[in-house]
Amino acid sequence: MLAFIGRRLLVAIPTILLISVFVFLLQQLLPGDPILAMAGEERDPATIEFLREKYGLNDPLPVQYFKWIGGVIQGDLGISLRTNQPVSELLLQKLPVTIQLAVMALIFAVVIGVPAGILSAVKKGTVVDYAANVVALSGLSIPNFWLGIMLILLVSVKWGLLPASGYTPPGEDLVRSITTMLMPAFVLGTALAATLMRHTRSAMLGVLKSDYVRTARAKGLYERRVILRHAFRNALVPIVTLTALLFGELVAGAVLTEQIFTIPGFGKLVVDAVFNRDYAVVQGIVLCTAVGFIVMNLLADAAYFALNPRLRKS
Amino acid sequence: MMRETILEAVNLRKHFRSGGGLGRTANTVRAVDGVSLEVHRGETFAIVGESGCGKSTLARLLMRLLDPTEGDVLFDGRSIAGLRGRTLRDLRRDMQFVFQDPFSSLNPRMTVGKLVGEPLETHSPELSARERRAKVAELLGRVGLRPEHAGRYPHEFSGGQRQRIGIARALASGPRLIIGDEPVSALDVSVQAQVINRLHDLKEEFDLTLVIIAHDLAVIRHMSDRVAVMYLGQIVETGPSEQVFANPRHPYTRALLSAVPEPVYGRAHDRMALKGETPSPSAPPDGCRFHTRCPFATEECRKRVPEMREMAPGQGAACHHAEKIAAEHGSPVAVTGSGRSEGAERRFAMYAEAIADRGA
Amino acid sequence: MTETAPPLLEIEGLTFGFRNQSANLVDGVSLTLGRNETLCIVGESGCGKSVTALSLMGLLPPDAVRIDSGTVTFEGETIDAGDFARLSRLRGDRMAMIFQEPMTSLNPAFRIGNQITEAVRHHRGGTEAEARERALEALEKVGIPAARQRLDEYPHQLSGGMRQRVMIAMALVNDPSVLIADEPTTALDVTVQAQILDLIADLQTRSGMGAILITHDLGVVAQVATRVAVMYAGRIVEIGTAQEIFEDPQHPYTIGLMSSVPRLTGPRQRLSTVPGLVPTPDGMPEGCRFSTRCPFARPTCREVPKLAPVAGEHHVACHYAPLETRLEAG
Amino acid sequence: MAHVSDPATADSVLDAKPENRVWKKFRSHRSAMLGVFLVAFFVIIAVAAPILPIQDPTATSWSAVRAAPSAAHPFGTDEIGRDVLSRLIWGAQASLMAGVVSVAIALCFGVPLGIAAGYFGGWTDTVISRCTEALLAAPFLILAIALAAFLGPSLGNAMIAIGLSATPIFIRLTRGQVIAVAAEDYVESAHAIGLPTRKILTRYIFPNVLPPVLVQATLTVATAIIAEASLSFLGLGQQPPAPSWGSMLNTAKNFLNQAPWMALWPGIAIFLVVLGFNLLGDGLRDALDPRET
Amino acid sequence: MLRKLSLTAILLGATAVGAQAQDLRIALQSDADVLDPDQSRTFVGRIVYTALCDKLVDITPELDLIPQLATDWSWNDDQTELTMQLREGVTFHDGEPFNAEAVAYNINRSQTLEESRRKSEVASITGTEVTGEYEIKISLAQPDATLLAQFADRAGMMISPAAAEEAGADFGLNPVCSGPFAFDNRVAQDRIVLTKFDDYWNADEINFDSVTYLPIPDNTVRFANLQSGDVDIIDRLAATDLEQAESASDIEVASAVSLGYQGMTINVGNGDRADSPIGENPAVRQALSLAIDRNALNQVVFNGAFAPGNQSFPPNSPWYDQDHPIPERDVEAAKALLAEAGFEDGVTVEVQAPNSPVPQQVMQVVQAMAAEAGITIEITSKEFATMLQDQSAGDYMASQVGWSGRVDPDGNIHQFMTTGGGINDSGYSNPEVDELLNNARTTTDTAERKQYYDQARDILVEDLPIIYLYHQTWIWGLRDAVSGFTPYPDGMIRLEGVSLED
């Protein structure tokens, strides 16, 4: 198992390097000169030249890349052009925020999506199944930024039930932290819940048709046990794998959600950084999320491994 | 009757590597491990063995659907190893394949006409569309389908009918040799008989050589002139079918034959029970590969690889103790009557007659 | 089997079909099974033999299938065939079943021991340790070497034959009086098939259990059956002792089936076949369902033939049985 | 061999070609038909926009700025006095175009690359797959935002950005399908009859790879419409004065208090059309799936 | 006051109230950049500095200069030497004393720090001389009327020399000034927290223990936060929300017309793309200007809350040239001008605009208005960073852009209109204007300066390298618990005297 993970990590290295090249090139291709904006409204030519030199933007692209990636390998992601903060520090500041959002959204998605998926698979073809599917499809079809806007309008502005935006670290005030995050987590979680529900349903349907479920029934077990133990345990493998893979969607979804609810996480950071041409920050975030994505993939594989006895012993 | 050799395998080996990569030891599956055989023009040659013995891989090597790790295949005395382009196409025209699964071996998105016409298109490009249609109709007739079936899709047919489509497709290029990989094993008994009969008729009609791969010994016996028995990637016994089935020399052949239940009531079984199951082809036992399951195995079997030796005219077996076993044990297949009552025999006769009259 | 001892299992007039189809999948099937007896139900795919077995176990999907009629009398208790709840109480306990696909019939996520003890504890209660002992016993009984070690293994670590043995152990762990085996050896190699068939026969002799064996392989039937029921298109067309069926088959379908099978012995001759195709549920012929493929079909065959006695327990559903006299005479 | 459903499928002679069977199955799929209806509705509206009796979507009226719904403006007016209903109708063009065109772009690049990777394997596969993996690791929307920012804000560029960002999905899907299909017996049978590679690809691989790709494409149209709306929402999509639902929302979010209708309708429109494509995709999947009855 | 019941409050129960340290929460429209007065460049940064860093001088709402760290100042006769008396007893947040040495250090840093963005603002200073512990003499190469106004802004903000020396260019990560609040911590895009500086020289006027700045870019959300009481003051309440804010019982509104302007910069001489009808022909620009109804624009986009404009200074500014009032819209005159210039069939103008809602809205209104006069406007949306680049490179025909404004009038006009001016993106060049604006810069007499500007305006209203459209009004939303807030035209939030009565 450890050897497997080690092997997977080795395989991931070229992928990560490739991503770093993509990100770097893409970033360099962006039109607009961040230095112009940095130089202030007056745009003094000497300052501009100095800043270009300072941030190494006059170097040839390969040199810039190798400087950057060399730093990355040593844990130095460069500094933000906009705030002068080290990118790694910015990332560390934002990471817990996005993770809290992602975890809450995921909890929401799992708590709603998985049981609904099981239920609708077991009740396939009934009103329950139909209703669950309609709700799930609706969840998938609602643009989550719109849902966010509507929720702010209703819940915060009209009813004043929850804070409209912002972020409170859980260490500072746990209750407020959670209440502030409720709406964003809900918004972000809807699509995930829907995806999970649909996948759970189809995984369960597949498993319920399997021979070993028939065997379990032939043993005379109660249907509840057949479904929750024999069927769900096997459907769990694809569900857990999927949940880990949903991480990518989570981050992408967080971009807009954080934008709408003014949550100072990765998504907001990256959008602002793109718009401000804050190169190092964009590169840092995309690289970081890509690595995160790969790590989640790895976790998914590990989960697959752990849940699948066939692989565990070999 | 000795006829000329049309297809010959010389010390064929096919090893598959699996699970290799980055610091992991690769697992080599020796699917076919040193097979030599000769197929004579006009005969039906059968390769029989249990699952995992490598018979399907062997069939694909003979067709050059797979390239061998080692060894060579000669068709009409010519090595097929280096063929490409035109010459490979010619080989494909001369040698055709019928697949086991009639459900998965036909492209679901093509009509029967197109499927059967495709080899014509490839190998007889000079035919006009009309001529091709006519040829397809004729071929469909030959395999017992109707010309109007050409416009339909494979899923509209039953398993037996599909297998006939597969056969028509194989016949279309005008091949001289057809290899059938378990051509009837996916079919129900009654349909299986239809296809067996059809294959037999077509073989005569088109002057074909057939190579049949199967696990069902009764089917093999019924269809083949000569047979080769495979175990773990190797041929352990070969010879004329009647002879091999009546008088098997290799203990594995004996075991196989004795394990087959005959549909006759009260048949006394002198069963030769085999212990355990076939070992993995990725780690075949040393010495004689059958020694782990062989009731006659001795120390010698564990150490020394037996060679194929001629036991009777045309019959060879790879066993150190073949003669001894044959001397001590009779035939595993008891030859008795049908075990049917007189009335029953008459009913069977009536039935056979009625069916023959129907011209099925 | 004598008249005095009540049969272990009696099926009476079992009739059911898919909810969305008018033709019956299984049409008026009646069977009996005695202690220590092996009843083989034989037929080609789609003849209704597997669903008959599933219905006994109450394993048919209730939302897809309608049970029209039929009763199951088991050890003196008569249960309506539509009463899945009561039938399901028997299964895994008094009535056990094994299936065709040993490779997929065991849950890949749980250890062997776990899957067996689950059946014990569900029906017998007791502690896990007690159940484990029973499971161990069962594994040993089906001839699994190093049984104690196997308890903690996963299905994928076993070969097909071993898995089928585990399935049998699991089925037998509660000492059922009826074992239903649905094509238990079809997926196995012929040498392994022999081992499994011997095992079942051996277990039966030891416990006096009755067995229903569902198969399409007449060879297997000849080897293990005490009685045979031949099914075609949802109906029993011929039933009798194994000897009667093999030595004196009456129904044209039985004859056709037997003629189609190539043999290991005897002269090599052209096989007689059964022409045509099995009718689909939406294209069921009136009267005798075999009439569309029967070479002897007559206008009378538009009426449903009754399963009538020929001799002893031997019954056949053909208007013209015995053929040689009825047809040649008429 | 012994499944309950066997009698229904075994040996039954189903009618006509697979396409017809699929169509029949699809037609009886109620939610898919709802999807067809929704999509058709918006397509018709989008196409008919120029001839519908509605106001000019760019005509401003200084006297009716952010006016609540009324008889003259059933859906109200927007921030500079344009009719929301007619902008909504014209906006359907942008959204549908964005969805369809970007998916077409993704298909154009993704399917051939996927086929190449899947069929030829080896280095071709390694290079394509590694790049795909790397691109997939960057979240879709971030990629699209960066690309759209690179290309400059416009509807066309948004489509390109979304299309390129969605390409890896299709490469991966196609590759997987090709590998699966290439292992099918019928492809081996094509080799066996000596069919040239080109014909194997066009007759055997491509048509059998197509259905799942088609389903994915339909579902991706839904995703792409949302993505376009998201980009427009961030100011990177359709540019004023031309309407698109996303850009309408982008503006509307500033007037939630005074003119909630500005945000309501485009949101509902996006929801419905995306729902339509999702239903359509689901229906197609069910209809094309040979296992489902 | 009844604070709206929020779920949070319910959950928090009793802990919500009590004699806690009082924190003032201010929502800003965007996040500040580097918190180093010498490097900083954003408007919101300046808002934060108002509480963090004291300046040498300050302004009144009427834009008069008043003492802050400098208590008094005087010029020598030829206006080339400025002597400032400094406030005594002031310390920086790190305990370092504020004195003439510190001022000298700060001026030197603004001039010499390579990252400094203040260089042009203090370019006229040739040297400093510490003439006493609390007196400094600043010498200039030539008279500079703008210098004191620069000292009222970032160039006049005093940072601790010790801290600056130690941190170098990274000073902004942990700024040390002498303002009423000291830097506590910052989470980018989330918050900047300042805590009360107990040794502040004017501590009596400060009523909070801490102040938290929260960047909330979305207008609706920012307003919602005010409505729910989660913040106390919001920066830049949207004009369209004004009505609702005014009608809310627990919200108060304060406003001031800004010092800046918004308009369309026309490329008249910046590279090849100046070769367009509108770039070459002033009549076309005049026609466009005439086609626009600036009042209607203000009404439609800003609910009438902003100020229409046609000059570099807002109409309420003392520098505004009353001889050129805001022109009435005259479509016929515009058409006539076009026809006269040879464009009877109309002209097409490509205008680049930032891809954010307000500029887009403005341009769409202008587009609709211009169309009626036969001027077709094509809007090209660009991200701000791209737009700036294209603008300074001359790769544009016209650009919708503005200026945040400076206290001294020079800051709003000189570098835009003089030949080769630092941000003269339109490429406008007119020796006459150059001379007038240079004169205005070196004259300290207000009346005289006004004359120069008026004369320049006479030319500029004809040439129109920039077509001015409107002047933003700063609108602050305040909870009614906030009292003592004074709106300033520079848009800053000054916390002296502000208090919260919860």
Side-chain angles (χ1 to χ4, degrees), chain B residues 50-51 188 190 194 197 201 221-222 224 262 271 274 277 333 339 341 346-347, chain C residues 44-45 159 191 195 198 223 247-249 263 265-266 268-269 271 274 324 328:
Chain B
E50 290 179 295
S51 53
D188 261 329
S190 62
Q194 296 169 10
N197 287 346
D201 297 347
R221 174 178 178 266
H222 195 83
S224 67
E262 275 275 85
R271 182 172 299 146
L274 282 188
E277 288 164 48
V333 185
S341 71
R346 274 178 61 201
R347 269 165 246 147
Chain C
E44 293 180 290
S45 48
S159 68
T191 51
Q195 297 167 358
D198 287 348
Q223 187 184 335
E247 292 185 352
D248 192 27
R263 304 268 299 270
T265 55
R268 289 207 299 181
Q269 63 194 20
L271 298 171
V274 183
E324 72 278 14
E328 281 175 2

Short mmCIF file of all heavy atoms in Angstrom, two decimals, chain B residues 50-51 188 190 194 197 201 221-222 224 262 271 274 277 333 339 341 346-347, chain C residues 44-45 159 191 195 198 223 247-249 263 265-266 268-269 271 274 324 328:
data_model
loop_
_atom_site.label_atom_id
_atom_site.label_comp_id
_atom_site.label_asym_id
_atom_site.label_seq_id
_atom_site.Cartn_x
_atom_site.Cartn_y
_atom_site.Cartn_z
N GLU B 50 -9.03 -26.98 -20.90
CA GLU B 50 -9.89 -26.27 -19.97
C GLU B 50 -9.55 -24.79 -19.98
O GLU B 50 -8.61 -24.36 -20.63
CB GLU B 50 -9.72 -26.86 -18.57
CG GLU B 50 -10.31 -28.26 -18.45
CD GLU B 50 -10.11 -28.82 -17.07
OE1 GLU B 50 -8.98 -29.05 -16.66
OE2 GLU B 50 -11.13 -29.02 -16.39
N SER B 51 -10.33 -24.01 -19.22
CA SER B 51 -10.11 -22.57 -19.25
C SER B 51 -8.69 -22.24 -18.78
O SER B 51 -8.16 -22.86 -17.88
CB SER B 51 -11.14 -21.85 -18.37
OG SER B 51 -11.15 -22.42 -17.09
N ASP B 188 -27.30 -22.70 -26.97
CA ASP B 188 -28.12 -23.74 -26.35
C ASP B 188 -27.96 -25.05 -27.12
O ASP B 188 -27.67 -25.05 -28.31
CB ASP B 188 -29.59 -23.31 -26.38
CG ASP B 188 -30.00 -22.72 -25.06
OD1 ASP B 188 -29.44 -23.16 -24.03
OD2 ASP B 188 -30.86 -21.83 -25.04
N SER B 190 -29.84 -27.31 -28.49
CA SER B 190 -30.51 -27.59 -29.76
C SER B 190 -29.92 -26.73 -30.88
O SER B 190 -29.74 -27.19 -32.00
CB SER B 190 -32.01 -27.33 -29.63
OG SER B 190 -32.24 -25.97 -29.31
N GLN B 194 -27.53 -27.46 -34.51
CA GLN B 194 -27.77 -26.86 -35.82
C GLN B 194 -26.47 -26.29 -36.39
O GLN B 194 -26.14 -26.50 -37.56
CB GLN B 194 -28.81 -25.72 -35.72
CG GLN B 194 -30.19 -26.17 -35.30
CD GLN B 194 -31.09 -24.97 -34.96
OE1 GLN B 194 -30.73 -23.83 -35.20
NE2 GLN B 194 -32.25 -25.26 -34.38
N ASN B 197 -23.88 -28.96 -37.39
CA ASN B 197 -24.23 -29.57 -38.68
C ASN B 197 -23.90 -28.63 -39.83
O ASN B 197 -23.36 -29.05 -40.86
CB ASN B 197 -25.73 -29.89 -38.72
CG ASN B 197 -26.05 -31.07 -37.82
OD1 ASN B 197 -25.14 -31.79 -37.40
ND2 ASN B 197 -27.33 -31.26 -37.51
N ASP B 201 -21.41 -29.18 -43.04
CA ASP B 201 -21.85 -29.10 -44.43
C ASP B 201 -21.01 -28.10 -45.22
O ASP B 201 -20.60 -28.37 -46.35
CB ASP B 201 -23.32 -28.67 -44.50
CG ASP B 201 -24.22 -29.70 -43.85
OD1 ASP B 201 -23.74 -30.83 -43.59
OD2 ASP B 201 -25.39 -29.37 -43.58
N ARG B 221 -15.20 -34.38 -30.35
CA ARG B 221 -15.21 -35.73 -30.91
C ARG B 221 -16.12 -35.78 -32.11
O ARG B 221 -15.82 -36.41 -33.12
CB ARG B 221 -15.69 -36.73 -29.85
CG ARG B 221 -15.88 -38.13 -30.41
CD ARG B 221 -16.30 -39.12 -29.34
NE ARG B 221 -16.50 -40.44 -29.93
CZ ARG B 221 -17.67 -40.87 -30.36
NH1 ARG B 221 -18.73 -40.10 -30.28
NH2 ARG B 221 -17.79 -42.08 -30.87
N HIS B 222 -17.22 -35.08 -31.98
CA HIS B 222 -18.20 -35.13 -33.03
C HIS B 222 -17.71 -34.43 -34.30
O HIS B 222 -18.02 -34.84 -35.41
CB HIS B 222 -19.49 -34.45 -32.56
CG HIS B 222 -20.64 -34.76 -33.43
ND1 HIS B 222 -21.37 -35.94 -33.28
CD2 HIS B 222 -21.17 -34.11 -34.49
CE1 HIS B 222 -22.30 -35.97 -34.20
NE2 HIS B 222 -22.21 -34.87 -34.96
N SER B 224 -14.30 -33.32 -35.09
CA SER B 224 -12.92 -33.24 -35.57
C SER B 224 -12.36 -34.53 -36.12
O SER B 224 -12.80 -35.62 -35.76
CB SER B 224 -12.03 -32.73 -34.44
OG SER B 224 -11.96 -33.70 -33.42
N GLU B 262 -21.89 -38.48 -19.37
CA GLU B 262 -22.61 -38.83 -20.58
C GLU B 262 -24.11 -38.84 -20.30
O GLU B 262 -24.55 -39.28 -19.22
CB GLU B 262 -22.17 -40.22 -21.05
CG GLU B 262 -20.92 -40.18 -21.90
CD GLU B 262 -21.22 -39.90 -23.36
OE1 GLU B 262 -21.35 -38.72 -23.71
OE2 GLU B 262 -21.37 -40.86 -24.15
N ARG B 271 -14.44 -43.07 -12.76
CA ARG B 271 -13.92 -41.71 -12.85
C ARG B 271 -12.52 -41.60 -12.27
O ARG B 271 -12.22 -42.11 -11.21
CB ARG B 271 -14.83 -40.73 -12.14
CG ARG B 271 -14.28 -39.34 -12.32
CD ARG B 271 -15.18 -38.28 -11.83
NE ARG B 271 -16.46 -38.27 -12.52
CZ ARG B 271 -17.57 -37.93 -11.89
NH1 ARG B 271 -17.55 -37.65 -10.63
NH2 ARG B 271 -18.69 -37.89 -12.55
N LEU B 274 -9.49 -35.83 -10.37
CA LEU B 274 -8.32 -34.95 -10.32
C LEU B 274 -8.43 -34.09 -9.08
O LEU B 274 -9.50 -33.61 -8.75
CB LEU B 274 -8.28 -34.04 -11.55
CG LEU B 274 -7.77 -34.66 -12.84
CD1 LEU B 274 -7.63 -33.56 -13.88
CD2 LEU B 274 -6.45 -35.35 -12.62
N GLU B 277 -7.15 -27.60 -8.85
CA GLU B 277 -7.45 -26.95 -10.12
C GLU B 277 -6.17 -26.61 -10.84
O GLU B 277 -5.09 -26.69 -10.28
CB GLU B 277 -8.29 -25.71 -9.84
CG GLU B 277 -9.70 -26.10 -9.43
CD GLU B 277 -10.44 -24.96 -8.78
OE1 GLU B 277 -10.42 -23.87 -9.36
OE2 GLU B 277 -11.02 -25.17 -7.71
N VAL B 333 -13.53 -44.21 -21.03
CA VAL B 333 -14.85 -44.04 -21.60
C VAL B 333 -15.44 -45.41 -21.86
O VAL B 333 -14.97 -46.15 -22.72
CB VAL B 333 -14.78 -43.24 -22.92
CG1 VAL B 333 -16.17 -42.96 -23.43
CG2 VAL B 333 -13.98 -41.97 -22.72
N GLY B 339 -28.72 -47.28 -24.12
CA GLY B 339 -29.47 -47.40 -22.89
C GLY B 339 -30.92 -47.01 -23.07
O GLY B 339 -31.59 -46.64 -22.13
N SER B 341 -34.92 -47.67 -24.42
CA SER B 341 -35.88 -48.74 -24.66
C SER B 341 -36.14 -48.85 -26.15
O SER B 341 -35.79 -47.97 -26.93
CB SER B 341 -37.19 -48.44 -23.93
OG SER B 341 -37.85 -47.36 -24.59
N ARG B 346 -37.25 -46.18 -31.45
CA ARG B 346 -38.11 -45.91 -32.60
C ARG B 346 -38.50 -44.43 -32.66
O ARG B 346 -38.56 -43.82 -33.72
CB ARG B 346 -39.35 -46.80 -32.55
CG ARG B 346 -39.04 -48.16 -33.20
CD ARG B 346 -40.19 -49.08 -33.14
NE ARG B 346 -41.39 -48.63 -33.84
CZ ARG B 346 -42.61 -49.10 -33.57
NH1 ARG B 346 -42.77 -50.02 -32.64
NH2 ARG B 346 -43.66 -48.65 -34.23
N ARG B 347 -38.75 -43.89 -31.48
CA ARG B 347 -39.09 -42.47 -31.44
C ARG B 347 -37.94 -41.62 -31.95
O ARG B 347 -38.12 -40.68 -32.74
CB ARG B 347 -39.40 -42.05 -29.99
CG ARG B 347 -40.85 -42.18 -29.63
CD ARG B 347 -41.04 -42.12 -28.13
NE ARG B 347 -41.53 -43.38 -27.63
CZ ARG B 347 -41.23 -43.91 -26.45
NH1 ARG B 347 -40.42 -43.26 -25.63
NH2 ARG B 347 -41.72 -45.06 -26.10
N GLU C 44 -33.68 -25.58 -21.91
CA GLU C 44 -32.75 -24.62 -22.48
C GLU C 44 -32.98 -23.24 -21.86
O GLU C 44 -33.92 -23.04 -21.11
CB GLU C 44 -32.96 -24.57 -24.00
CG GLU C 44 -32.53 -25.86 -24.67
CD GLU C 44 -32.72 -25.80 -26.16
OE1 GLU C 44 -33.88 -25.80 -26.62
OE2 GLU C 44 -31.72 -25.73 -26.87
N SER C 45 -32.12 -22.30 -22.21
CA SER C 45 -32.25 -20.99 -21.59
C SER C 45 -33.62 -20.40 -21.91
O SER C 45 -34.12 -20.53 -23.02
CB SER C 45 -31.12 -20.05 -22.03
OG SER C 45 -30.97 -20.10 -23.42
N SER C 159 -10.12 -19.92 -5.87
CA SER C 159 -10.44 -20.26 -7.26
C SER C 159 -11.94 -20.49 -7.40
O SER C 159 -12.67 -20.55 -6.41
CB SER C 159 -9.70 -21.53 -7.64
OG SER C 159 -10.25 -22.60 -6.90
N THR C 191 -13.35 -30.90 -15.13
CA THR C 191 -12.75 -31.69 -14.04
C THR C 191 -13.24 -31.18 -12.69
O THR C 191 -13.45 -31.94 -11.75
CB THR C 191 -11.21 -31.64 -14.09
OG1 THR C 191 -10.80 -30.28 -14.19
CG2 THR C 191 -10.68 -32.39 -15.29
N GLN C 195 -15.89 -32.77 -9.46
CA GLN C 195 -15.67 -32.69 -8.01
C GLN C 195 -16.88 -32.12 -7.29
O GLN C 195 -17.32 -32.65 -6.26
CB GLN C 195 -14.46 -31.77 -7.71
CG GLN C 195 -13.14 -32.27 -8.27
CD GLN C 195 -12.06 -31.19 -8.21
OE1 GLN C 195 -12.31 -30.07 -7.78
NE2 GLN C 195 -10.86 -31.54 -8.66
N ASP C 198 -19.89 -34.51 -7.27
CA ASP C 198 -19.65 -35.58 -6.29
C ASP C 198 -19.88 -35.07 -4.88
O ASP C 198 -20.46 -35.75 -4.04
CB ASP C 198 -18.21 -36.09 -6.42
CG ASP C 198 -18.03 -36.93 -7.67
OD1 ASP C 198 -19.06 -37.29 -8.29
OD2 ASP C 198 -16.87 -37.21 -8.04
N GLN C 223 -26.19 -38.18 -14.63
CA GLN C 223 -25.28 -38.61 -13.58
C GLN C 223 -25.88 -38.48 -12.19
O GLN C 223 -25.67 -39.34 -11.35
CB GLN C 223 -24.00 -37.78 -13.69
CG GLN C 223 -22.91 -38.28 -12.75
CD GLN C 223 -21.71 -37.37 -12.80
OE1 GLN C 223 -21.46 -36.69 -13.80
NE2 GLN C 223 -20.95 -37.34 -11.73
N GLU C 247 -34.33 -43.61 -20.54
CA GLU C 247 -34.50 -44.85 -21.27
C GLU C 247 -35.74 -44.86 -22.13
O GLU C 247 -35.82 -45.55 -23.14
CB GLU C 247 -34.50 -46.04 -20.30
CG GLU C 247 -33.13 -46.22 -19.68
CD GLU C 247 -33.03 -47.45 -18.79
OE1 GLU C 247 -34.08 -48.08 -18.54
OE2 GLU C 247 -31.92 -47.76 -18.35
N ASP C 248 -36.72 -44.05 -21.71
CA ASP C 248 -37.97 -44.09 -22.45
C ASP C 248 -38.54 -42.69 -22.64
O ASP C 248 -39.68 -42.40 -22.24
CB ASP C 248 -38.96 -44.98 -21.69
CG ASP C 248 -40.15 -45.30 -22.55
OD1 ASP C 248 -40.02 -45.32 -23.80
OD2 ASP C 248 -41.23 -45.54 -21.97
N PRO C 249 -37.76 -41.76 -23.21
CA PRO C 249 -38.27 -40.40 -23.34
C PRO C 249 -39.47 -40.37 -24.27
O PRO C 249 -39.49 -41.10 -25.27
CB PRO C 249 -37.06 -39.64 -23.94
CG PRO C 249 -36.25 -40.69 -24.62
CD PRO C 249 -36.44 -41.94 -23.84
N ARG C 263 -22.11 -37.04 -28.51
CA ARG C 263 -21.76 -38.01 -27.47
C ARG C 263 -20.30 -38.37 -27.53
O ARG C 263 -19.65 -38.26 -28.56
CB ARG C 263 -22.60 -39.27 -27.66
CG ARG C 263 -24.11 -39.02 -27.67
CD ARG C 263 -24.65 -39.18 -26.29
NE ARG C 263 -24.42 -40.52 -25.84
CZ ARG C 263 -25.28 -41.52 -26.03
NH1 ARG C 263 -26.41 -41.32 -26.66
NH2 ARG C 263 -25.00 -42.72 -25.58
N THR C 265 -19.32 -41.40 -26.81
CA THR C 265 -19.22 -42.79 -27.24
C THR C 265 -20.23 -43.02 -28.34
O THR C 265 -21.04 -42.16 -28.66
CB THR C 265 -19.51 -43.74 -26.07
OG1 THR C 265 -20.79 -43.39 -25.53
CG2 THR C 265 -18.45 -43.64 -25.01
N GLY C 266 -20.16 -44.19 -28.88
CA GLY C 266 -21.12 -44.53 -29.92
C GLY C 266 -20.67 -43.99 -31.25
O GLY C 266 -19.65 -43.31 -31.37
N ARG C 268 -20.28 -41.86 -34.61
CA ARG C 268 -20.38 -40.43 -34.91
C ARG C 268 -21.36 -40.27 -36.06
O ARG C 268 -21.11 -40.71 -37.16
CB ARG C 268 -19.02 -39.87 -35.33
CG ARG C 268 -18.06 -39.78 -34.18
CD ARG C 268 -17.04 -38.72 -34.40
NE ARG C 268 -16.23 -38.95 -35.59
CZ ARG C 268 -15.24 -38.14 -35.97
NH1 ARG C 268 -14.96 -37.06 -35.27
NH2 ARG C 268 -14.53 -38.40 -37.05
N GLN C 269 -22.48 -39.70 -35.77
CA GLN C 269 -23.44 -39.51 -36.85
C GLN C 269 -23.98 -38.10 -36.79
O GLN C 269 -23.81 -37.39 -35.82
CB GLN C 269 -24.58 -40.52 -36.72
CG GLN C 269 -25.37 -40.33 -35.44
CD GLN C 269 -26.28 -41.50 -35.15
OE1 GLN C 269 -26.06 -42.60 -35.66
NE2 GLN C 269 -27.28 -41.28 -34.33
N LEU C 271 -26.07 -35.05 -36.16
CA LEU C 271 -26.95 -34.76 -35.02
C LEU C 271 -28.32 -34.36 -35.52
O LEU C 271 -28.45 -33.62 -36.50
CB LEU C 271 -26.37 -33.61 -34.19
CG LEU C 271 -25.01 -33.85 -33.55
CD1 LEU C 271 -24.48 -32.54 -32.96
CD2 LEU C 271 -25.11 -34.91 -32.47
N VAL C 274 -33.21 -29.50 -32.91
CA VAL C 274 -34.56 -28.98 -32.71
C VAL C 274 -34.63 -27.73 -33.58
O VAL C 274 -33.93 -26.76 -33.29
CB VAL C 274 -34.84 -28.63 -31.24
CG1 VAL C 274 -36.27 -28.17 -31.08
CG2 VAL C 274 -34.55 -29.83 -30.36
N GLU C 324 -44.64 -43.55 -31.14
CA GLU C 324 -44.53 -44.63 -32.14
C GLU C 324 -45.86 -45.31 -32.37
O GLU C 324 -46.15 -45.74 -33.48
CB GLU C 324 -43.42 -45.62 -31.75
CG GLU C 324 -43.72 -46.53 -30.58
CD GLU C 324 -43.48 -45.87 -29.22
OE1 GLU C 324 -43.33 -44.63 -29.18
OE2 GLU C 324 -43.45 -46.57 -28.22
N GLU C 328 -47.99 -43.48 -35.65
CA GLU C 328 -47.99 -44.43 -36.75
C GLU C 328 -49.36 -45.03 -36.93
O GLU C 328 -49.78 -45.33 -38.06
CB GLU C 328 -46.93 -45.50 -36.50
CG GLU C 328 -45.56 -44.95 -36.87
CD GLU C 328 -44.44 -45.90 -36.55
OE1 GLU C 328 -44.70 -47.02 -36.08
OE2 GLU C 328 -43.28 -45.50 -36.76
#
